[in-house]
């Protein structure tokens, strides 16, 4: 892995609902950071246009491994805009979906108690992709592919650009455990393949266990797991909680989540706070 990428914040990702993949702030080399999609993360909506906005903050004041000296910390703030078009077309029995993600990121790095100090705000590399979504009485499933395009220069340690393109493959499923579909378990996986041989491939799995209350509020346990798969040994594991509500009269939903990195190797270890707004257009 490039030294400049060890401290890079991995960005935003994609799809919708549990199908959503957007991004979360974690300091990984790839473009997609885990922790953005939690409850019902492999469930796509019906035909139409959708906007999803993500506001996220990641704070870490410890690094587990040799990638950074002691007294190193990072704070990442993200405002990401995702546009999803569920086309109404059908292919292989699945709904066809197109999407794009345009993230804005502020990264504040303090490495070695000030040995490296940098803060940058900019538009992050842009994602364009497509997804297939299947539906059943007891499950939903998604599979997709897209590309993170190298649209931003990488001139300093805290710049959100990556200096390479990256293919992202998505696959996941949502299972309903009751007839009323008020209890569900989901898992959404992403495999990231950079076009730079010096950057490792990564596998990310985001998961959630949801209960829908009679009030309409969704609550549940969420988490993620990340592993480098092509030579690197960085990994990270987190668990947290999430709650959300959808106002049908105004076609708007809001979710809030908190994650704690309980185990990391060759990576920062910290906390993620996320707000997700979903609007039917």
């Amino acid at each position: 892995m490039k030294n400049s990428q060890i401290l890079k914040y991995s960005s935003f990702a994609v799809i919708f609902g549990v199908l959503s993949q957007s991004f979360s702030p974690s300091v990984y080399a790839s473009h997609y950071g885990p922790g953005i999609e939690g409850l019902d993360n492999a469930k796509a909506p019906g035909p139409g246009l959708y906007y999803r906005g993500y506001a996220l903050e990641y704070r870490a004041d410890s690094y587990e491994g040799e990638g950074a000296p002691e007294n190193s910390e990072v704070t990442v703030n993200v405002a990401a805009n995702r546009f999803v078009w569920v086309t109404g077309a059908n292919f292989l029995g699945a709904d066809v979906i197109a999407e794009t993600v345009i993230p804005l990121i502020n990264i504040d790095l303090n490495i070695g108690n000030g040995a490296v100090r940098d803060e940058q705000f900019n538009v992050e590399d842009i994602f364009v992709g497509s997804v297939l979504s299947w539906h059943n009485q007891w499950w939903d499933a998604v599979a997709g592919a897209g590309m993170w395009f190298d649209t931003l220069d990488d001139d300093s340690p805290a710049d959100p650009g990556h200096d390479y393109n990256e293919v992202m493959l998505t696959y996941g499923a949502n299972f309903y455990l009751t007839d009323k579909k008020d209890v569900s378990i989901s898992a959404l996986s992403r495999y990231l393949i950079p076009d730079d041989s010096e950057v490792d491939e990564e596998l990310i799995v985001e998961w959630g266990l949801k209960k829908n209350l009679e009030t309409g509020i969704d609550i549940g346990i969420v988490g993620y797991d990340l592993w480098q798969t092509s030579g690197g040994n960085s990994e990270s594991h987190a668990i947290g909680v999430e709650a959300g509500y959808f106002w049908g009269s105004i076609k708007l939903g809001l979710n809030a989540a908190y994650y704690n990195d309980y185990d990391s190797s060759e990576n920062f270890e910290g906390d993620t706070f996320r707000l997700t707004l979903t609007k039917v257009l």
Side-chain angles (χ1 to χ4, degrees), residues 149-215:
F149 290 94
D150 177 19
T151 53
L152 181 67
D153 291 337
D154 175 19
D155 297 323
S156 68
D159 273 335
H162 285 70
D163 276 349
Y164 58 85
N165 301 311
E166 189 166 41
V167 172
M168 183 167 72
L169 306 177
T170 297
Y171 40 96
N174 200 71
F175 296 97
Y176 301 101
L177 306 183
T178 66
D179 291 336
K180 296 190 300 180
K181 296 187 176 182
D182 60 336
V183 180
S184 62
I185 186 170
S186 58
L188 186 66
S189 301
R190 319 214 190 265
Y191 197 80
L192 295 125
I193 307 170
D195 65 2
D196 186 333
S197 61
E198 295 185 51
V199 181
D200 290 312
E201 298 177 6
E202 289 183 350
L203 171 64
I204 297 170
V205 179
E206 299 174 282
W207 55 268
L209 175 61
K210 187 198 80 173
K211 168 64 178 175
N212 177 253
L213 305 178
E214 293 183 1
T215 59

Side-chain angles (χ1 to χ4, degrees), residues 7 63 67-74 109-118 157 268:
L7 302 177
Y63 189 95
E70 294 183 1
N71 301 316
S72 297
E73 57 186 12
V74 61
L109 280 175
N110 184 356
I111 306 302
N113 198 25
V116 175
R117 190 76 171 84
D118 191 24
F268 278 98

